[in-house]
Amino acid sequence: MASRDEAGTAKIKVGIVGGTGYTGVELLRLLSQHPHAELRAITSRKEDGLPVADMYSNLRGVVDLKFSSPDNAKLEECDVVFFATPHGVAMAQAQALLDAGVKIIDLAADFRLQDTAVFEKWYKMPHTCPDILEESVYGLVEVNRDRIRNARVVGNPGCYPTTVVLGLAPLLEGRGSDAKPLVDVQTLIADCASGVTGAGRKAEVHILFSEASDNFKAYGVGGHRHHPEIVEQLEKLHGGPVGLTFVPHLTPMIRGMHSTLYARIQPEARDVDFQALFEKRYADEPFVDVMPAGSTPETRSVRASNMVRISVFRPNGGDQLVILVVQDNLVKGASGQAVQNMNLMFGLPENAGLGHVAVLP
Amino acid sequence: MASRDEAGTAKIKVGIVGGTGYTGVELLRLLSQHPHAELRAITSRKEDGLPVADMYSNLRGVVDLKFSSPDNAKLEECDVVFFATPHGVAMAQAQALLDAGVKIIDLAADFRLQDTAVFEKWYKMPHTCPDILEESVYGLVEVNRDRIRNARVVGNPGCYPTTVVLGLAPLLEGRGSDAKPLVDVQTLIADCASGVTGAGRKAEVHILFSEASDNFKAYGVGGHRHHPEIVEQLEKLHGGPVGLTFVPHLTPMIRGMHSTLYARIQPEARDVDFQALFEKRYADEPFVDVMPAGSTPETRSVRASNMVRISVFRPNGGDQLVILVVQDNLVKGASGQAVQNMNLMFGLPENAGLGHVAVLP
Amino acid sequence: MASRDEAGTAKIKVGIVGGTGYTGVELLRLLSQHPHAELRAITSRKEDGLPVADMYSNLRGVVDLKFSSPDNAKLEECDVVFFATPHGVAMAQAQALLDAGVKIIDLAADFRLQDTAVFEKWYKMPHTCPDILEESVYGLVEVNRDRIRNARVVGNPGCYPTTVVLGLAPLLEGRGSDAKPLVDVQTLIADCASGVTGAGRKAEVHILFSEASDNFKAYGVGGHRHHPEIVEQLEKLHGGPVGLTFVPHLTPMIRGMHSTLYARIQPEARDVDFQALFEKRYADEPFVDVMPAGSTPETRSVRASNMVRISVFRPNGGDQLVILVVQDNLVKGASGQAVQNMNLMFGLPENAGLGHVAVLP
Amino acid sequence: MASRDEAGTAKIKVGIVGGTGYTGVELLRLLSQHPHAELRAITSRKEDGLPVADMYSNLRGVVDLKFSSPDNAKLEECDVVFFATPHGVAMAQAQALLDAGVKIIDLAADFRLQDTAVFEKWYKMPHTCPDILEESVYGLVEVNRDRIRNARVVGNPGCYPTTVVLGLAPLLEGRGSDAKPLVDVQTLIADCASGVTGAGRKAEVHILFSEASDNFKAYGVGGHRHHPEIVEQLEKLHGGPVGLTFVPHLTPMIRGMHSTLYARIQPEARDVDFQALFEKRYADEPFVDVMPAGSTPETRSVRASNMVRISVFRPNGGDQLVILVVQDNLVKGASGQAVQNMNLMFGLPENAGLGHVAVLP
């Protein structure tokens, strides 16, 4: 029998595929406290039978589920299934779940890039369900809210793309076909720093404490999978080609992402009040906070919460715009945004189960 | 007019004195999400008029209060006042608040030590209200639950004492006057490690990032204020004198406390099942988790939550008992325990507003 | 009587003014192991009489000096005096020392900016010895080596400027008055991240471990003192005006600085082999390592050493050049560079006492 | 032809087996700067042909060697070979090297435990060369200096044992068969905290940055391989059985080890001046620093150096002695101590190549 929430409504039955990584445990943390959701299954072929709380001791006394083999998880009895898996897994299981009436939120890349050729280039595998891809919606709520409400399949955005697209959207969108853009869309720069959980929970030497602590470095300068994802979204907003240089860095913190975005202001736009533009754009957004002029956001101000904070600078009143964006890469950059999508897809209040205040200090 | 919770009951009106430190901001994080509490005032003479969220950006959009001067805070209109202040402040204001019918929870040391001579030795100030001290209750819920329900004044325990007393209580309490103790009470050892927030939010060189990071050291080996507090509580439980060596260490993490306790098993107690003893003692406690035999607790498993986790070891089956205890020093070790006390003092469910799942990773 | 080095030559007598900060203790670490230098005095008015090793326990058994009051330090008997002081101190004492034949290396800003108006704007004090400033040399060895050899007064570069100027110099210098520059000098960007020691050893809340750990933020976006210093140096190299956007960030590590530099390649320069350009420029530099194409430098690869490592990228072969530069902010960014300057000023091998291999991990 | 040092003496030819771990790279850092040693070969079957500096970028420009397959390394042409390998490797190659006149320093456990039964129990492999084991010397210089001078094979101590044995030796050694020990040798406790490099450079989840950062935990409470090693050494010093409880902890720092040792003072020894005892014992030791009474050592005070610092406390003048010991686990706890052994074995000054001042901050 279904569990019911305080109002007596049946709770949403939730399945998670691949719950042993960081986005998996974060989904568990968020959903175990969600007033309208009920965890029904969490799969891991390797850990079949292991109580989830034995792997993640923060869940002791909170989550009683055991990992189950995908074969036995009865995911088709869920209302929604989250894929917290490597790329390619959601593709393989999507059709069967849809046929059973189950909605899908994929935290990997299977339903992010609309251009399958680009997907195949960067993820080194063929896209096996282009028709599902076509119906899927890119789950950046602040851009695609209405489409998400009606989606059966959502591709949850990557962590870097969430910050970069939210930081540039007010500059690009809604300009119309004949209007000049506010900034030079050919010379955009995204200089980003990520906490180490962004690299996942993989047994790899370069993300050992002894390697990543007290250290800072760029990586993927020659090419990163999130680059085409960001560009595809920016081009949709702009309505034309966009040129972006993207340099991600690894910084010694557990959670948190900071993006410093650079855009050249067009001569025609020199009189624009960019602070006001951003404030207006995000005035009604529950999870986007435009900081007062002159203040800078810090990653810990959103630690363990679903908030994004943005600051807008124009140093010395010149032509270079500098946008600062912070998020928790595991929450708004992954699992929190996934829950936000779920809320929309099921007609729940968008912030249900997402009211956590950031943990500071 | 009073705010009301979902059931229509008037919320508890809360005041905080001295909210600029870490226990203050943590009270704000917990109370702003508490279903039955309403923040009415937070004082800081120095920051009078500053919005709280300007100092703590995690509270932007969550807490609208401004710091107010203590003179204007109308604390006497509150139901309860928390003191997140330096030692001595609560003493000075307690009588007036009690006269106005306000309950008091002091997170400093004014109402912890019943022996005023010991207080005066360690805190270098006279105790100005010994009669209030006498009526006050030491707010370690798992030991004093019933007395706290009826208390007007609670002395919230120190962070180290919370872990050490909870870790040793099952060995000392309820032995009766003629029973032999289970362990040698004269040679107890508490070897503890604290995250740096334990030192507070003070502008001091030794807790700078550049000093405390990538470093580990003992401190206060010759004497620490929490030593007499722990001893007083242990002696109450034991019903006689206790000898304790206490060595605190500073470890490079933000939050978290780990106590490794050593006790020599008495010859008569060699057959005791200590794992079972601990499990039984804490079976009904919502915030104490006795880990399965053989497993070790880690501080991150309680990060930002009110949980304590305890493991019991008897290496090689010998006579040395080793107890491991972890907590978040700002939650169960300070502000969370204070809210737990408030819940009891006002007849609320003990875990109201304290259901946060620990943030891991 | 003077100490002598292994070859029997009298050692250089060294004084340090203001040795209680991080650049001071780093000078002590480097100079105490320097084969041709002898520490004679280290001043601190506040710590007069305190053995240096009591403040910095790494120096126990290595440095026997006590801090002495500036009045008694007999600095005029030294061959060279380093100022590891707040801005303005070196200015006040420079003339007297020069009159006594003592050379000066200032690690503060008194002799960095040649434009006194700019100095006075950013440092909020008048420049009291413009004639000494005029004779002083900016101590970036790789740019001003020959002038430094003959200098009596060296202004040791700031940490950010060292990385930014070394990273951009090959693109700007030696182009001649009629040659087109290789990159657009009006849209340069320096996006930099610094370890927390960059903020000094000051009792300030924002650099506490509990504030700066597990956190990342930009600061000084609206204006930073190193901006005019960098611009002055770049303009000298270019021979004309330069436009630079400079965004520093604070990252949770003790030492280390990473600068990501962006420059737009001019159409005329599209065929330039930038990797070769950098390799050639720094081929003979003992402390600048141009990494192989495609590899990225990390800050720990230079920890506690005087090395700078640089990588050159041109993502997708486009028009955006990305230069990555790392250094230890306390060594090449401060005290190591100061010792490198001393070596030149006294005709010693440039790398004397600077052969430390970086500490990794 | 052999390289020669400054005095014209032929340098010691050094080989390293298994140089890809942290003790390997640390040997390289130390030996590459050693005035009397010359690196001749470093083996790694897996990385055959890879320049060492490609794996460890701190060695760029310093070490030109490539990893070579063990088969081709010509180790028998070396004067000494260090084994920085998993347990069991040195055993297999020792006889051949000894036959070729090569001395051996093993940083693994093959030549630490004299009792082969204990070795086989803890390391799960038979000991294949008990006769070489019998001639080998346990390489704790401060205890076995004279025997090391003449040794062909040295078992370099484990990191924990180095701190615990040095911290307890003055209490146990030289008491004679009829003298009472100063402390109760049956209830010794070693409560130790190690930086994460102590776990090696292995691709394992539990030592990822995202797992080990901002976290503190005990491990191996039920049994740790260093326990029998410590006990064997303590029993040799004491001349009889010893009881030790050993609880290691993992603390979020890269390097560093801190041991807090507890010993009960015997009634007969209450008048002993333990501070004086320790100072006298280590007065002539170049790498052991007994701190002034009342001060506490911190791990960063020995970071990247070969020093050990020790403090002695007797809280409230009672019967519980507390000894604090710090070291860098990769230097004095591993590679530095190995070089110290090499120096002795070849008649070099004991501190040759080990004069590094600790890196602080």
Side-chain angles (χ1 to χ4, degrees), chain C residues 35-109:
Chain C
H36 308 297
E38 179 199 0
L39 285 164
R40 291 293 280 263
I42 176 161
T43 75
S44 166
R45 196 175 300 276
K46 191 176 158 200
E47 306 292 351
D48 186 18
L50 183 78
V52 168
D54 281 12
M55 176 172 284
Y56 293 114
S57 52
N58 63 324
L59 301 176
R60 283 176 56 82
V62 178
V63 173
D64 293 331
L65 280 178
K66 295 179 182 181
F67 290 109
S68 57
S69 163
D71 314 321
N72 307 322
K74 302 192 181 170
L75 296 173
E76 69 281 1
E77 298 178 4
C78 292
D79 296 310
V80 61
V81 167
F82 293 88
F83 285 87
T85 49
H87 310 296
V89 176
M91 278 196 299
Q93 304 184 28
Q95 190 61 57
L97 289 171
L98 290 177
D99 290 348
V102 183
K103 295 182 182 180
I104 292 170
I105 299 172
D106 180 29
L107 283 79

Side-chain angles (χ1 to χ4, degrees), chain C residues 63-315:
Chain C
V63 173
D64 293 331
L65 280 178
K66 295 179 182 181
F67 290 109
S68 57
S69 163
D71 314 321
N72 307 322
K74 302 192 181 170
L75 296 173
E76 69 281 1
E77 298 178 4
C78 292
D79 296 310
V80 61
V81 167
F82 293 88
F83 285 87
T85 49
H87 310 296
V89 176
M91 278 196 299
Q93 304 184 28
Q95 190 61 57
L97 289 171
L98 290 177
D99 290 348
V102 183
K103 295 182 182 180
I104 292 170
I105 299 172
D106 180 29
L107 283 79
D110 300 9
F111 300 107
R112 290 179 188 165
L113 289 163
Q114 282 296 327
D115 186 329
T116 56
V118 174
F119 175 86
E120 292 176 5
K121 174 184 168 191
W122 284 95
Y123 293 91
K124 313 293 182 201
M125 60 178 81
H127 203 293
T128 58
C129 50
D131 48 338
I132 300 179
L133 175 61
E134 199 176 336
E135 95 163 74
S136 75
V137 179
Y138 188 75
L140 188 62
V141 175
E142 291 75 10
V143 171
N144 294 327
R145 181 172 280 110
D146 288 336
R147 294 179 57 218
I148 293 165
R149 288 191 212 277
N150 302 308
R152 295 196 304 166
V153 181
V154 162
N156 207 58
C159 50
Y160 287 116
T162 299
T163 60
V164 179
V165 176
L166 289 178
L168 294 176
L171 303 173
L172 301 181
E173 68 192 359
R175 301 294 302 158
S177 58
D178 49 352
K180 292 276 181 64
L182 298 175
V183 296
D184 178 356
V185 297
Q186 290 310 314
T187 62
L188 300 170
I189 292 174
D191 186 292
C192 305
S194 174
V196 185
T197 49
R201 187 172 172 274
K202 289 170 292 191
E204 294 180 355
V205 167
H206 77 287
I207 50 174
L208 292 181
F209 181 91
S210 303
E211 303 283 310
S213 184
D214 211 53
N215 191 34
F216 190 86
K217 65 174 178 184
Y219 67 101
V221 188
H224 186 287
R225 289 169 171 184
H226 284 179
H227 186 268
E229 181 181 335
I230 298 169
V231 169
E232 189 173 284
Q233 294 303 318
L234 295 182
E235 293 188 340
K236 270 192 202 168
L237 292 172
H238 171 57
V242 154
L244 171 75
T245 301
F246 170 50
V247 181
H249 302 74
L250 192 67
T251 188
M253 58 189 185
I254 300 177
R255 293 161 176 254
M257 176 165 286
H258 185 290
S259 293
T260 304
L261 312 175
Y262 300 90
R264 303 287 311 171
I265 298 170
Q266 294 288 41
E268 300 80 4
R270 281 187 180 138
D271 296 335
V272 171
D273 180 340
F274 290 96
Q275 175 74 25
L277 178 76
F278 274 73
E279 287 181 0
K280 186 177 170 196
R281 172 59 178 86
Y282 292 123
D284 297 328
E285 288 297 341
F287 295 116
V288 181
D289 173 27
V290 178
M291 305 275 291
S295 63
T296 49
E298 50 185 348
T299 58
R300 64 181 187 141
S301 78
V302 295
R303 186 189 292 138
S305 93
N306 200 48
M307 292 299 296
V308 166
R309 300 194 203 277
I310 300 180
S311 286
V312 182
F313 281 89
R314 191 174 170 178

Side-chain angles (χ1 to χ4, degrees), chain B residues 22 56 195-198 200-205 207-214 251-254, chain C residues 22 56 195-198 200-205 207-214 251-254:
Chain B
Y22 290 139
Y56 293 114
V196 185
T197 49
R201 187 172 173 272
K202 290 170 290 192
E204 295 181 354
V205 166
I207 50 174
L208 291 181
F209 181 92
S210 304
E211 302 284 310
S213 185
D214 210 55
T251 188
M253 58 187 185
I254 300 176
Chain C
Y22 291 139
Y56 293 114
V196 185
T197 49
R201 187 172 172 274
K202 289 170 292 191
E204 294 180 355
V205 167
I207 50 174
L208 292 181
F209 181 91
S210 303
E211 303 283 310
S213 184
D214 211 53
T251 188
M253 58 189 185
I254 300 177

